[in-house]
Amino acid sequence: MATLSLTVVDEDPAEVDRLSRALHTELDALELDRNELVVEDDAPPLAKSGGDTVTALLIALATSPALVQLGALLRDWVTRDRGRKVVVRDGDRSVELTGGTAAESAEVIREFFHREID
């Protein structure tokens, strides 16, 4: 089973929270074994909601098809807005996906996930 950490990158903690929650909702459509929002204890609470600030997502998946679906979803998600960035971590390995072209994102995702698919 692959366990990955996804971190949305933005200078505004409120925007990280908003985008992370939106990505979490989209990930719910995939057949993941785990899809959790991560809240760090030292992150400041959001002023408007008074709730905890989401700093990352933790996902786990056991099948290659789910990994392929995850790669496609992340590619689509980052390319919807040129300013979007998400860092995917798998143990000591990580890759930053940005809002470049879909082809560029697809290649980066394919290379990073290649080890997990084999």
Side-chain angles (χ1 to χ4, degrees):
M1 179 178 310
T3 301
L4 304 170
S5 169
L6 308 176
T7 305
V8 174
V9 179
D10 194 281
E11 292 180 12
D12 180 7
E15 188 66 1
V16 169
D17 181 85
R18 185 187 73 75
L19 290 171
S20 296
R21 289 176 190 276
L23 181 56
H24 178 260
T25 299
E26 290 188 39
L27 290 168
D28 276 341
L30 301 181
E31 294 183 27
L32 302 174
D33 295 307
R34 184 177 185 183
N35 179 19
E36 297 178 16
L37 295 170
V38 177
V39 178
E40 288 188 21
D41 293 335
D42 60 349
L46 291 176
K48 291 181 183 176
S49 68
D52 293 326
T53 302
V54 174
T55 58
L57 294 101
L58 186 62
I59 61 171
L61 53 155
T63 66
S64 293
L67 191 59
V68 170
Q69 291 174 341
L70 172 64
L73 185 143
L74 292 175
R75 178 200 64 222
D76 293 346
W77 191 82
V78 296
T79 57
R80 279 188 225 144
D81 183 335
R82 284 201 154 283
R84 284 190 180 176
K85 293 181 186 176
V86 65
V87 176
V88 181
R89 287 184 183 81
D90 175 17
D92 294 336
R93 299 178 331 123
S94 68
V95 64
E96 182 177 284
L97 306 174
T98 61
T101 67
E104 291 167 341
S105 295
E107 180 63 20
V108 169
I109 290 167
R110 187 194 63 73
E111 287 178 16
F112 183 76
F113 287 151
H114 182 71
R115 184 186 79 165
E116 297 296 338
I117 294 174
D118 287 342

